Amino acid sequence: MKLTYIFHSGFLIEGDNFFLLIDFFMDTDGPDSGLVHDWLLKQEKPLYVLSSHFHADHFNPEILTWKERKKNITYIFSKDILKRKRANAGDAVYLKKGDVYEDATLFVKAFGSTDVGVSFFIKAGGKTIFHAGDLNNWHWKDESTDEEVRQAENHYLRELELVAKEVHQLDVAMFPVDARMGSEYAKGAEQFMEAIPVKLFVPMHFEPDFKHEAQIFRVFAEQKGIRYFMITNKGDSIQF
């Protein structure tokens, strides 16, 4: 199976008989050109498009126009996208925390987030996959009060515990490692890997100048025996 970094928190997963695109908002070459527009939408295999929440860096309503170009496309969205009127009821299957979508190819369960929307646990092609959306230990310790840090961490650990009760191992985990958070930018990712065994860790939700911080976190992951996808450019791919 092949995983390709599109941009920010957007990834494409290709299996033998499907494509899975998660949290697309911009293509590899810009808003309307690149791997998705110029290649993916011309492919014959069915395409599943998942969006974890309505934030503009995770959801682009332009994706709903793709059904005019590709007939075998299924949209699976967090329910907040409908509530925020970013899409209509008939546009997608909508999931809230705890809901499941399943067909002959794909299983998706929505878990919680510490911001808005959901995170996704996915089974497809014999692999177990997790895309965190905006689930993370979101705190800016260098700027926040001790109480704000404590509240953010407790919220995250409660959600992580719920995931870990049902998800006992992952072939791939895509998770925020956002250096803008300051000194503890990777704490949520570290806690995630300590709670759930992961074979391949994939960082996301970062800015283009992330490379130095990504290299530092790679050392942490590999010391735990976890394979790490060292992303350097849009369109980078890895087999798993």
Side-chain angles (χ1 to χ4, degrees):
M1 202 171 291
K2 181 179 179 181
L3 182 146
T4 302
Y5 173 63
I6 304 300
F7 186 62
H8 192 63
S9 297
F11 294 91
L12 175 66
I13 296 173
E14 180 179 2
D16 291 339
N17 61 339
F18 70 92
F19 289 102
L20 174 61
L21 182 66
I22 310 174
D23 277 11
F24 174 91
F25 96 96
M26 186 179 295
D27 209 341
T28 54
D29 294 336
D32 56 4
S33 64
L35 181 69
V36 174
H37 290 86
D38 301 330
W39 180 78
L40 175 63
L41 296 179
K42 298 175 183 178
Q43 301 304 303
E44 294 183 359
K45 288 188 285 192
L47 170 62
Y48 296 87
V49 180
L50 278 62
S51 296
S52 66
H53 61 287
F54 79 95
H55 286 169
D57 58 349
H58 291 256
F59 174 75
N60 184 339
E62 183 243 346
I63 63 179
L64 290 168
T65 68
W66 295 349
K67 58 192 172 187
E68 300 167 7
R69 297 178 55 182
K70 185 172 177 58
K71 301 305 179 185
N72 53 349
I73 185 168
T74 302
Y75 297 98
I76 304 169
F77 294 167
S78 169
K79 203 163 188 178
D80 70 288
I81 293 171
L82 177 62
K83 291 180 178 178
R84 296 277 184 158
K85 299 183 178 179
R86 301 303 198 270
N88 298 316
D91 288 334
V93 175
Y94 293 96
L95 304 181
K96 64 181 183 301
K97 179 179 174 180
D99 287 346
V100 169
Y101 170 87
E102 187 171 10
D103 63 19
T105 302
L106 190 71
F107 171 93
V108 180
K109 180 164 184 177
F111 282 92
S113 174
T114 44
D115 195 341
V116 294
V118 300
S119 50
F120 292 121
F121 172 59
I122 300 159
K123 292 190 282 189
K127 302 294 185 181
T128 53
I129 301 161
F130 191 83
H131 188 285
D134 266 357
L135 173 67
N136 193 12
N137 188 345
W138 292 116
H139 70 270
W140 281 254
K141 187 171 183 179
D142 306 324
E143 304 172 20
S144 303
T145 67
D146 290 344
E147 178 62 17
E148 288 170 337
V149 171
R150 185 187 65 79
Q151 289 181 356
E153 181 157 80
N154 286 344
H155 185 192
Y156 170 66
L157 293 177
R158 285 194 299 269
E159 295 297 337
L160 178 57
E161 182 180 12
L162 293 174
V163 178
K165 282 181 178 178
E166 294 190 40
V167 179
H168 302 129
Q169 70 84 30
L170 288 166
D171 291 296
V172 180
M174 292 159 275
F175 197 92
V177 182
D178 193 331
R180 295 172 298 177
M181 293 174 63
S183 61
E184 291 195 343
Y185 71 94
K187 187 172 184 180
E190 293 172 3
Q191 291 167 321
F192 186 90
M193 289 192 291
E194 288 166 355
I196 302 171
V198 177
K199 292 182 180 178
L200 172 65
F201 185 88
V202 182
M204 67 179 191
H205 207 283
F206 53 80
E207 296 298 300
D209 60 356
F210 168 77
K211 294 178 184 178
H212 174 68
E213 289 81 3
Q215 186 67 41
I216 293 172
F217 190 66
R218 177 182 186 175
V219 173
F220 174 89
E222 292 183 345
Q223 285 176 342
K224 288 187 158 297
I226 297 170
R227 189 180 177 203
Y228 189 83
F229 184 13
M230 186 61 200
I231 297 168
T232 57
N233 295 291
K234 291 178 285 185
D236 284 355
S237 296
I238 191 168
Q239 298 283 340
F240 68 95

